[in-house]
Amino acid sequence: MEHRAAASLKQSEELQRQLDDLQKKLKSSSEQLRALEQNKLQQQTAVNTLTTRLAESEKQLKTAQDRYTETDKTSTGLRQQLADVQSRLEQTSRQLAKEEKNSFERQKTIEKLRLTLEDNQRRQATLSRQAGQSVQAAKAEQERLARLQEEAELRAEQERMARLREKAAAEAKAEQERLARVAAEAKAEKDRLMQLRAKAEAEAKAERERLARVAAEAKAEKDRLIQARAKAEAEARAEKERMARLRETAAAEAKAEQERLARMRERTEAEQERIRLKRLQAETEAEKLRLSRLQAETEAEKLRLKRQKEAAEAANLELRKQMDAAVAAAQAAARTVAVPAAAGENIPVITPENEKLAPKVIQQMLAKAAAAEKQDAPKIARWNYRKILESDPTNFEANFGMGRLELAQEEFTSAAIYLQQAYIARENRNDVRTAYAKALLGQKKYGNALAILDKCPDPARKDLDYLYARGIALSGSGHMDQARQYLLQAHHLAPKRGDILLALAKLPPANKTKEAQMQSAKWYEDAKKLGATPDPILEKSLGKLINERVELIDFMSGAALEAERHRDWNSAVWYYGQLRNMDPGSGFYAERAARYCFLQKKYQETLKMLSDRPATASGEWLRAAALLGNGKTAEAETAAQKAAAMGAKAPDADLEKILNTFDRRKSGKVLQLLKGK
């Protein structure tokens, strides 16, 4: 029946895998279609980019044409300026020629005037000759003065004309040179503009050709994408129709299989319920046997305690008699100076002057108190310590002893009083420091306790009591993360201390994950198993998690065993790995998970499963085999020797089959150790 159920479950899983494959194919087709659409979008983007670049190129060409037009206008302006300059030069030349003509006409006029003057002079001379000698002399003087004046004016005019001619020639020469330079610059600018225009036309032509090619390619790519999209859409429609048919078929088959599995599950659950009830009955019987044993042990313990109580009362009576005798002897000795004892010893006395016990009596009482503590008779120890303190309130041993007794009874106030005296007397003793800090912690004086613990030297800080006390003090001060570190160190040193586990459970989880909460529940559950008093607050906050954890462990243990029976190593590794994480203090689940990792030749995972777990013979054997599988022969030999020393058994057939695949020439000695030879 179980085999049929397993076969049905496997067939259902196979159908589910087929359905998942079909869904994956449909998803893949959808992804391909989306990829084609995305490629189409990318191509469209490329076409848009090319169009933009073409527009930019046309804009650049237009800009170049505008520049050429402006350059042409500039050249036209320069030509106009050159024409204007030439016109001005021609006008200047005409003015110069006109000025020369005027100068020549003035010279002719002067020459005519001179001739006329000479005629007049000749006439005047004739008249002068006729007028007389005196008039001739005056006339001659006048003529001479006139000639001098005319000659001076003529020379001045000639000089002015010469200066004007030189100035006009210089200006004409300078203007010609400037016009030559302007003409050269205009020619160079025209040549440069012609070159730029030719270059711009060539670039524009090349860009037009390139854009034409790009447009053709884009069009071809667009046509190809349209065809590909049409083809993909057709394939997707066909695939979708096929998937719909397959989904309908698979849904019908899955429905039928689910109905069959539901019937099988009902039968399986009924069978599992019967097995669970049978297991519960066995557990109930075992619990009854355990309770009967506990009752028997309780009765035996009651008888033992009764006998201890009777013995303590007898010892107390005997001690009282001895003390009465000692007091009587001391009173007798007070009346006499000293009375030697029958055995040759001096009897300790109480003198009336100081009412103190003699040192030897104190030592005897301290020894009896220490013996009473070892025999679990705190009343006798308390009586002796109290009597000593009545005689000597500063006695270190008595104060320390009374402090320990009060601390054990959780009388923290009185314990702090006694331990404070002991701490004052022996400040350097680590056990006194720790006990005094515990008493302060009981009074919730966390800061004072930390101040006491801070005085401990480094070697003492690895002590269990120190780690526990400091963890409690830090948690009371609100330093939860540091408190967790110290308490975890204390738990590592004493895994079976219920008070440490209870303190860890009371700390808020390191994070809000379910794993951290389950770990707190595990600590609280283990603390109660080790005798810790149930905490009402933790019962309310962690009780439900504890029940869930127990149910989950039972379920996953059953699933792991089922996977083992069907030799489903992957499932076994998963279930045992989860159980390993749920129970960090146990090595059993880690070993089982490591075994099935090793059987799959996953040697690194085997070592990972065994890490941070208590060392056992079978665990060390698996560690050695996994190290050998990783090629670490020296480390494997050390682990194999350790496993053999711990009493590891010879491997079963499955494990030995894996060992036989290893190279005997390189690791023969380790293989012999692993095979128990």
Side-chain angles (χ1 to χ4, degrees):
M1 180 177 176
E2 293 179 357
H3 291 297
R4 288 199 300 273
S8 300
L9 182 61
K10 188 176 292 184
Q11 187 176 3
S12 176
E13 291 176 353
E14 182 66 26
L15 289 173
Q16 186 64 33
R17 279 197 295 272
Q18 291 179 1
L19 183 59
D20 292 340
D21 293 338
L22 292 174
Q23 291 177 350
K24 287 180 182 177
K25 288 181 180 178
L26 180 59
K27 185 178 180 181
S28 176
S29 300
S30 301
E31 289 177 355
Q32 289 178 359
L33 182 59
R34 283 196 298 271
L36 288 172
E37 291 178 352
Q38 188 174 3
N39 192 7
K40 179 183 176 182
L41 290 174
Q42 291 177 353
Q43 294 293 335
Q44 186 64 36
T45 305
V47 170
N48 295 335
T49 304
L50 291 173
T51 305
T52 305
R53 290 179 60 187
L54 179 60
E56 291 177 355
S57 299
E58 291 177 351
K59 190 181 293 184
Q60 291 177 359
L61 179 60
K62 186 177 180 181
T63 303
Q65 291 176 351
D66 294 340
R67 288 178 59 191
Y68 178 75
T69 303
E70 291 177 358
T71 305
D72 197 5
K73 289 180 180 179
T74 304
S75 178
T76 304
L78 290 173
R79 285 196 296 270
Q80 185 65 35
Q81 290 179 2
L82 179 61
D84 294 340
V85 170
Q86 289 177 351
S87 177
R88 286 198 302 273
L89 181 61
E90 290 175 356
Q91 187 177 359
T92 304
S93 299
R94 284 195 299 270
Q95 289 178 355
L96 182 61
K98 187 177 181 180
E99 190 71 25
E100 289 178 350
K101 185 178 180 180
N102 293 331
S103 177
F104 181 71
E105 288 178 351
R106 282 195 297 272
Q107 287 179 356
K108 285 175 69 177
T109 303
I110 292 170
E111 185 67 23
K112 287 179 180 180
L113 290 172
R114 188 178 62 79
L115 292 174
T116 303
L117 181 60
E118 288 178 353
D119 289 339
N120 292 326
Q121 287 175 356
R122 282 194 298 270
R123 285 191 300 271
Q124 287 176 1
T126 303
L127 291 173
S128 296
R129 282 192 303 271
Q130 293 175 0
Q133 188 65 36
S134 57
V135 175
Q136 289 180 353
K139 288 181 179 180
E141 185 66 23
Q142 289 177 352
E143 290 175 357
R144 188 180 65 83
L145 290 173
R147 281 196 304 273
L148 288 174
Q149 185 177 2
E150 289 177 356
E151 289 176 359
E153 290 177 355
L154 181 60
R155 283 195 299 271
E157 183 67 20
Q158 288 177 350
E159 289 175 357
R160 188 178 70 80
M161 290 300 294
R163 286 196 299 273
L164 287 173
R165 195 178 290 111
E166 290 176 358
K167 182 178 179 182
E171 288 178 353
K173 185 178 180 181
E175 186 68 19
Q176 287 177 354
E177 291 176 354
R178 189 179 69 80
L179 290 174
R181 286 195 302 272
V182 169
E185 290 175 357
K187 184 179 180 181
E189 182 66 19
K190 184 178 180 180
D191 295 339
R192 187 178 68 80
L193 291 174
M194 291 296 290
Q195 291 175 359
L196 287 174
R197 181 176 182 178
K199 184 177 179 181
E201 289 176 351
E203 290 178 352
K205 184 178 179 181
E207 185 66 19
R208 282 195 297 272
E209 292 175 354
R210 187 180 67 80
L211 290 174
R213 289 195 302 272
V214 169
E217 292 175 357
K219 184 178 179 182
E221 184 66 19
K222 184 177 180 180
D223 295 339
R224 188 184 67 78
L225 288 174
I226 291 172
Q227 294 174 0
R229 181 178 180 179
K231 184 178 178 181
E233 289 176 350
E235 292 177 352
R237 283 194 299 272
E239 183 68 19
K240 188 174 182 181
E241 292 172 357
R242 189 176 68 83
M243 287 302 297
R245 291 193 298 272
L246 287 174
R247 194 179 294 108
E248 291 174 358
T249 305
E253 293 176 354
K255 184 177 180 181
E257 184 64 22
Q258 286 177 356
E259 292 175 355
R260 190 175 64 80
L261 286 175
R263 293 192 296 271
M264 292 294 296
R265 193 178 296 110
E266 290 175 358
R267 290 195 294 270
T268 305
E269 289 176 354
E271 184 67 20
Q272 289 178 350
E273 183 66 19
R274 187 180 63 80
I275 294 171
R276 190 178 67 82
L277 290 174
K278 189 175 180 180
R279 187 166 62 246
L280 285 174
Q281 289 176 358
E283 291 176 355
T284 304
E285 294 296 330
E287 186 66 20
K288 287 180 180 178
L289 291 174
R290 190 178 67 83
L291 289 174
S292 62
R293 285 198 300 272
L294 286 175
Q295 288 176 357
E297 291 174 358
T298 304
E299 293 296 331
E301 184 67 19
K302 286 180 179 179
L303 291 174
R304 188 180 67 80
L305 290 174
K306 185 177 180 181
R307 287 195 295 272
Q308 285 183 355
K309 185 177 180 181
E310 292 174 353
E313 290 176 353
N316 194 9
L317 184 60
E318 181 65 24
L319 181 62
R320 191 172 297 152
K321 290 179 180 179
Q322 290 178 3
M323 290 302 297
D324 292 340
V327 171
Q331 290 175 355
R335 293 187 293 271
T336 61
V337 179
V339 180
E345 297 179 354
N346 290 329
I347 298 175
V349 297
I350 300 176
T351 60
E353 290 81 8
N354 52 24
E355 294 294 331
K356 287 182 177 290
L357 294 175
K360 193 165 186 179
V361 174
I362 292 175
Q363 292 300 324
Q364 291 174 356
M365 296 179 74
L366 286 173
K368 289 180 180 180
E373 278 193 79
K374 291 181 180 179
Q375 295 173 3
D376 197 15
K379 290 183 179 180
I380 298 174
R382 195 185 301 274
W383 187 88
N384 283 280
Y385 287 141
R386 186 175 289 114
K387 287 297 181 183
I388 294 170
L389 291 174
E390 288 175 358
S391 174
D392 183 8
T394 62
N395 185 276
F396 166 74
E397 295 293 343
N399 277 305
F400 191 32
M402 282 295 290
R404 289 195 304 269
L405 293 173
E406 295 296 306
L407 199 59
Q409 296 295 323
E410 296 186 355
E411 297 292 340
F412 300 113
T413 303
S414 57
I417 295 172
Y418 292 116
L419 290 171
Q420 184 181 21
Q421 295 297 324
Y423 177 71
I424 293 171
R426 298 287 191 276
E427 185 177 350
N428 294 327
R429 279 187 52 168
N430 294 323
D431 54 349
V432 177
R433 285 197 193 98
T434 306
Y436 185 32
K438 285 182 179 179
L440 293 172
L441 291 175
Q443 296 177 290
K444 298 184 179 181
K445 297 179 179 180
Y446 303 111
N448 295 340
L450 282 174
I452 297 298
L453 294 171
D454 285 340
K455 296 181 180 180
C456 290
D458 290 339
R461 299 193 177 197
K462 297 179 181 179
D463 181 67
L464 174 62
D465 290 335
Y466 170 81
L467 294 172
Y468 173 70
R470 191 167 188 85
I472 298 297
L474 288 168
S475 66
S477 301
H479 304 288
M480 300 303 176
D481 292 336
Q482 298 180 27
R484 186 178 293 103
Q485 294 177 5
Y486 281 100
L487 291 174
L488 285 173
Q489 293 180 44
H491 174 59
H492 182 72
L493 294 176
K496 301 299 181 181
R497 278 271 298 269
D499 54 346
I500 298 175
L501 289 169
L502 185 62
L504 282 168
K506 288 181 178 180
L507 292 175
N511 49 58
K512 296 183 179 181
T513 60
K514 188 67 174 290
E515 290 77 8
Q517 295 175 354
M518 294 295 282
Q519 179 62 64
S520 298
K522 173 70 170 53
W523 283 332
Y524 181 53
E525 183 183 7
D526 292 344
K528 289 196 296 183
K529 289 179 181 178
L530 293 170
T533 304
D535 186 272
I537 298 176
L538 294 180
E539 285 290 335
K540 185 177 180 180
S541 61
L542 300 178
K544 185 177 179 180
L545 286 174
I546 292 173
N547 294 333
E548 289 180 1
R549 181 178 175 278
V550 172
E551 292 175 0
L552 186 58
I553 288 176
D554 290 341
F555 169 75
M556 298 189 78
S557 298
L561 292 173
E562 187 70 19
E564 285 180 338
R565 283 197 295 270
H566 290 89
R567 301 179 70 81
D568 184 1
W569 305 147
N570 281 326
S571 299
V573 168
W574 189 84
Y575 284 120
Y576 279 124
Q578 296 298 316
L579 289 167
R580 171 189 180 273
N581 296 333
M582 292 170 63
D583 192 2
S586 172
F588 173 76
Y589 298 128
E591 291 175 14
R592 302 305 295 175
R595 169 188 170 84
Y596 296 118
C597 286
F598 181 77
L599 289 176
Q600 298 179 78
K601 297 184 180 180
K602 297 178 180 178
Y603 306 124
Q604 193 63 36
E605 293 185 15
T606 302
L607 295 172
K608 185 178 178 181
M609 289 294 178
L610 294 171
S611 62
D612 301 329
R613 288 298 184 272
T616 60
S618 56
E620 289 302 312
W621 189 96
L622 287 168
R623 191 191 308 278
L627 288 169
L628 189 61
N630 273 343
K632 299 178 180 180
T633 309
E635 297 180 23
E637 184 176 352
T638 303
Q641 291 174 352
K642 185 176 179 180
M646 296 176 72
K649 297 180 181 180
D652 55 26
D654 290 332
L655 295 175
E656 190 169 6
K657 184 178 179 181
I658 302 296
L659 292 180
N660 292 334
T661 62
F662 295 156
D663 190 352
R664 295 184 180 181
R665 292 175 297 178
K666 295 182 180 180
S667 53
K669 184 177 180 181
V670 183
L671 288 174
Q672 288 180 357
L673 288 169
L674 292 175
K675 292 181 179 180
K677 297 179 181 179

